[in-house]
Amino acid sequence: MRSCVKKQIVIACLLSTLSLQGCGVVTSIRADAAAFDIYNTEITIDEEPVKSPVYKKIKSVAIADLSDEFGSYYPEDNKRLYRAAIMELEVMLKETGKFRVIPRKNFRNKLAALGLDIDVTTDDDEELNISYAKVGKALNAHAVVSFGFEAPNATSISNQAKYMGQMLVNGAMTVTMFTNVDFLRSKTGEVLWSQKNKVAWVTGTQGLKTTKNSVLRKKLRAVLKPIVDQAVETL
C-alpha cells in the first residue's frame, strides 16, 4: 500500500511555497486569478485492481481517517480537501449498498482509544498497514478503505520552476497527481484491492478560500466515481 498521506505532505509543501501560504509577489499581481478545480485526466489506471480473491468476500469496511494526525504545519486547504474526499468516499460506498460502512469518525475514535502512534510524515507503508489493520480489526470491519494523493516529482527544481511560471502568467498552477483508494484486510494488513486516477489539481492564489463545501464535494465525487464504480463491479 502506498504512503498516500505522506505524499500529500509533499503537495502541502509545494502549494504552501508557491501559492497558499506564501508567494506574496504572485498574490499581489494576480490576487483575483483562477479558482480551485480538480478533475480526472485518466481513470482506473491499474488494470488489475483486485490483489486478492478475499476482496470478493468483503461485507464491511471502515473508512480510514487520519485528519487528527496532521500537524499544525499542514496547510488548511490540504486538510479540507482530504476531509472532503473521505467524507464523499464514505457516502458513495454507503450508496452502493454493497458494504456495511463504518463511519470515519468511528475510525478516528478507535485510533485514539488504541493509542496508536501514527506519524504521517515518517511512517512507512508497513507501519501504516499495521496501524490500519489494528483499527479495522477493533472495529470488526473486514477491511479498511484508505484514500490519499500522490504527486511524483512535484517538488523537483524543474517542476517548481514550471509551477512558478504558471502562477506568474496565469495566477494559477496545475499539478498532476494521482488519487488512490485502497481496501486493506483488517486481519493481516494485506492490500485486497487498489485503484487510482490521474488528476489535475488547479489552484490559484486564493486556494480554497472561495470554494463552497458543496462545490468541493461535487468535484471530488466526480473524481472518485470511476473508482467506486469499479470497486463494486469487481466484487
Side-chain angles (χ1 to χ4, degrees):
M1 180 178 144
R2 295 166 296 274
S3 299
C4 298
V5 175
K6 287 196 291 181
K7 291 174 181 177
Q8 192 182 4
I9 294 287
V10 173
I11 302 298
C13 294
L14 174 66
L15 295 181
S16 176
T17 300
L18 296 186
S19 64
L20 300 181
Q21 302 294 332
C23 207
V25 174
V26 175
T27 301
S28 64
I29 295 174
R30 300 299 301 273
D32 60 346
F36 161 84
D37 199 3
I38 187 168
Y39 53 88
N40 289 322
T41 59
E42 187 176 352
I43 64 171
T44 56
I45 294 171
D46 193 331
E47 295 181 357
E48 297 183 359
V50 179
K51 308 305 179 184
S52 167
V54 175
Y55 173 69
K56 298 179 183 293
K57 300 179 181 180
I58 291 176
K59 300 299 181 183
S60 60
V61 297
I63 308 300
D65 183 351
L66 299 182
S67 57
D68 287 346
E69 308 306 311
F70 299 151
S72 58
Y73 55 84
Y74 204 89
E76 289 303 318
D77 274 9
N78 295 80
K79 294 178 184 177
R80 185 181 171 197
L81 189 63
Y82 174 78
R83 291 189 183 111
I86 58 175
M87 182 185 301
E88 200 60 35
L89 183 59
E90 178 183 325
V91 170
M92 294 174 76
L93 288 174
K94 285 181 179 178
E95 289 173 349
T96 69
K98 298 295 185 179
F99 309 102
R100 177 175 67 87
V101 179
I102 300 171
R104 62 196 185 283
K105 68 176 181 180
N106 293 32
F107 185 95
R108 291 198 311 272
N109 292 339
K110 185 61 66 174
L111 177 62
L114 292 174
L116 298 179
D117 185 18
I118 291 181
D119 188 328
V120 297
T121 63
T122 61
D123 285 358
D124 61 23
D125 293 349
E126 183 178 357
E127 290 169 324
L128 286 174
N129 284 3
I130 291 172
S131 296
Y132 283 139
K134 286 181 178 178
V135 177
K137 189 174 183 179
L139 291 171
N140 295 314
H142 292 158
V144 174
V145 181
S146 68
F147 169 85
F149 296 105
E150 179 182 358
N153 303 316
T155 55
S156 67
I157 293 176
S158 61
N159 277 335
Q160 287 191 52
K162 179 181 73 174
Y163 297 140
M164 182 61 75
Q166 290 178 1
M167 290 293 291
L168 289 169
V169 174
N170 304 315
M173 65 179 180
T174 300
V175 181
T176 298
M177 302 194 308
F178 295 95
T179 53
N180 304 300
V181 175
D182 295 328
F183 285 69
L184 178 74
R185 191 179 185 185
S186 296
K187 280 187 177 180
T188 63
E190 173 191 9
V191 175
L192 303 177
W193 190 94
S194 180
Q195 190 53 274
K196 63 183 178 181
N197 290 341
K198 188 176 183 179
V199 303
W201 181 353
V202 181
T203 183
T205 56
Q206 298 301 305
L208 293 177
K209 290 180 181 179
T210 59
T211 304
K212 295 181 179 179
N213 286 334
S214 59
V215 173
L216 179 58
R217 290 187 60 180
K218 183 178 180 180
K219 290 181 180 293
L220 288 168
R221 171 172 280 259
V223 166
L224 291 168
K225 188 178 187 303
I227 293 180
V228 173
D229 286 349
Q230 191 185 64
V232 172
E233 292 168 1
T234 51
L235 276 173

